[in-house]
Amino acid sequence: GGAQRRWHSDRCPASGVRASSRAPLYMRAPGDTDDAYGFGNGTPSYSYTPQQPQQAAPQLPQPTGGVGFQPQLGGYGGGGWESTSGSMDGGGGPPEPSEGMRKRNLSASWKLSQTLLGEGEEDEPPILEELGINFSHIVSKTRAVLWPRRSKLDQEVIDDSDFAGPLIFCFALAAVLLLKGKVQFSYIYVVFVTGLLALWAVLNLMSMKGIDIYRTASVLGYCLLPIVLLAALSLPLDLTGAWGALFVPLTVFWCSNAAALFFVIILQADDQRWLLLYPVMLFYTGFALITIF
């Protein structure tokens, strides 16, 4: 007799068609030989090829906590759940720094401050001094502008052509004007650079000693402080009327007098103070107009 084939199958729940869940089981009736199929030595045999069952995917543990829990996957059998907030279950949260770490942070901050102030190595100048920033000179120049007196001016402070103070006052003026809704950064830059070049040329033509452009820029920038105060005063007051007629000429003369005093000392031109006052007054009038309008 011929071979008989038997299938062990289950019914597919979706389509209702019987689908095989195992490999077909081949069986031969007793007395059948392999010669009927063209192979073997003619002896009866029984064989089947079972299919290896698929390994089911591991199920991840479900969270048992509320908000603030996140899964921590560590493999099939391990893992767990950890809290992401320090207030739940007494868990999680960043670890607090140890005492040794705090001491190292304080030591690093102290070394940085000592390096900036020049109190570290004996033969090492402070970084701020190498960058041309001297806070004592900035304070001295600012006081000289607020109360211009020749007896209070030091020659070393006058000869220091730093840009820290001018940059601070220029940005302060632009920031105060920005509070009024006026973006005047480009106007301040153009007026300052144009006036600086013109005044530098005029001062060198009027004096035999001469002055460099860096020191000229430093003096003009420091003497811009009264204009910054005028801009701050324009926030609560309307300077286009009677208040402007009072405070604007006073502020322009204040700036011009302080700058002329600096230039007179630098150029050693005591007999030309009022002559130097005129072009400097034109320079600060431009900034006053920017502040008002």
Side-chain angles (χ1 to χ4, degrees), residues 112-125:
L112 179 60
S113 62
Q114 297 301 314
T115 304
L116 292 175
L117 298 177
E119 299 178 2
E121 301 294 337
E122 296 181 357
D123 56 345
E124 180 182 0

Side-chain angles (χ1 to χ4, degrees), residues 112-215:
L112 179 60
S113 62
Q114 297 301 314
T115 304
L116 292 175
L117 298 177
E119 299 178 2
E121 301 294 337
E122 296 181 357
D123 56 345
E124 180 182 0
I127 296 179
L128 297 179
E129 183 178 340
E130 293 182 356
L131 295 176
I133 301 176
N134 194 324
F135 288 106
S136 62
H137 289 183
I138 293 174
V139 173
S140 300
K141 279 190 175 182
T142 304
R143 290 177 178 176
V145 171
L146 293 176
W147 188 255
R149 289 183 298 175
R150 186 165 187 171
S151 59
K152 299 296 182 179
L153 291 177
D154 188 7
Q155 188 66 33
E156 182 181 359
V157 175
I158 295 176
D159 294 338
D160 186 12
S161 57
D162 66 290
F163 290 151
L167 288 176
I168 292 174
F169 295 149
C170 287
F171 279 111
L173 177 61
V176 173
L177 294 178
L178 190 61
L179 295 177
K180 298 177 60 177
K182 299 192 298 183
V183 183
Q184 305 287 3
F185 289 92
S186 58
Y187 290 100
I188 293 174
Y189 175 78
V190 171
V191 171
F192 189 88
V193 173
T194 304
L196 169 63
L197 295 176
L199 280 174
W200 176 59
V202 169
L203 293 176
N204 283 281
L205 291 174
M206 292 178 62
S207 175
M208 297 296 296
K209 184 178 181 180
I211 184 174
D212 58 273
I213 192 171
Y214 303 106
R215 196 178 304 176

Side-chain angles (χ1 to χ4, degrees), residues 11-119:
R11 182 177 298 276
C12 178
S15 61
V17 179
R18 289 184 177 274
S20 175
S21 62
R22 291 185 182 179
L25 182 62
Y26 296 94
M27 299 184 63
R28 295 182 178 87
D32 289 344
T33 62
D34 293 336
D35 290 339
Y37 298 92
F39 57 89
N41 53 6
T43 59
S45 62
Y46 302 93
S47 65
Y48 69 94
T49 307
Q51 184 179 3
Q52 297 294 333
Q54 296 182 355
Q55 183 179 2
Q59 298 294 330
L60 297 178
Q62 298 297 326
T64 58
V67 179
F69 286 86
Q70 294 181 355
Q72 182 182 8
L73 305 180
Y76 288 151
W81 296 82
E82 61 179 2
S83 173
T84 58
S85 62
S87 60
M88 301 183 65
D89 297 337
E96 295 188 2
S98 61
E99 188 67 25
M101 186 179 297
R102 291 195 188 97
K103 291 182 179 180
R104 286 194 296 269
N105 293 338
L106 291 176
S107 177
S109 302
W110 181 81
K111 289 181 180 179
L112 179 60
S113 62
Q114 297 301 314
T115 304
L116 292 175
L117 298 177
E119 299 178 2

Side-chain angles (χ1 to χ4, degrees), residues 155 166 235 258 266:
Q155 188 66 33
L235 294 176
I266 295 173

